[in-house]
Amino acid sequence: MSWEEMYSRDYPCSCGKGTYTEVVEMDDWNRRREHRTINCPECAENEKIAKKNEVKEKERLKKLDEEIKTYFRESYMEKWLSYFDSAKNKKEIWTLAKEMGIERDSLSSFYSRNKSINMEEYVRNLAISNNIQKIMQVLNIEDLDLTYKVDEAMKLKKAEHARLVADWHSNH
């Protein structure tokens, strides 16, 4: 199996002082891959800096996610677990989480995904940074440190999502 270059094209770079080359290759199984080479030193340096910043943001997000999880577990987990005390079965727990907007699965998917864990573990697993804002609202938690960390994490996640969407669009 070998890759064959289908085409190679040069385009003006974003600063307008140079170019970048886009190469598309295809193999014997009609799989396609693309790559680009930045020929402009200025844009290449900007790309390098952007990649470094992206790595730093991912590291910061990972650290924030862990800090949020630990802080919430130590400060509010008992209150969070007690919120589900009135639920008599798995379906009622799923319903409460669904009404909160932190459960995205259908009931059947919920059952199949969570058949091997107990419901306390399921409730604990819901306390992730993506859900903390809604959980804080439901539990009436006003904690500036936690809010600051969650807001920063959400900002980083939005930026990462925007990058992924932009990358997808540039490749399709």
Side-chain angles (χ1 to χ4, degrees), residues 70-106:
T70 301
Y71 185 83
F72 186 85
R73 183 176 57 240
E74 292 170 356
S75 304
Y76 301 108
M77 187 57 77
E78 292 307 314
K79 187 174 182 179
W80 174 235
L81 292 171
S82 67
Y83 181 80
F84 291 87
D85 284 346
S86 65
K88 297 177 183 84
N89 55 43
K90 288 181 177 184
K91 184 178 181 180
E92 288 184 12
I93 290 173
W94 172 83
T95 302
L96 285 171
K98 192 76 166 175
E99 288 171 352
M100 243 182 275
I102 61 173
E103 174 57 72
R104 288 155 188 84
D105 283 342
S106 67

Side-chain angles (χ1 to χ4, degrees), residues 124-172:
R124 286 180 184 277
N125 291 341
L126 287 173
I128 58 172
S129 61
N130 290 356
N131 296 336
I132 294 294
Q133 287 176 323
K134 291 177 182 175
I135 292 171
M136 289 174 69
Q137 283 181 314
V138 168
L139 299 180
N140 295 317
I141 296 171
E142 293 184 21
D143 184 320
L144 291 177
D145 291 335
L146 185 57
T147 300
Y148 175 77
K149 288 180 182 192
V150 170
D151 288 348
E152 185 181 354
M154 293 295 101
K155 180 180 157 195
L156 290 171
K157 287 179 184 193
K158 273 185 182 176
E160 183 178 25
H161 179 74
R163 269 194 309 274
L164 290 171
V165 169
D167 288 347
W168 185 88
H169 283 290
S170 70
N171 292 323
H172 291 88

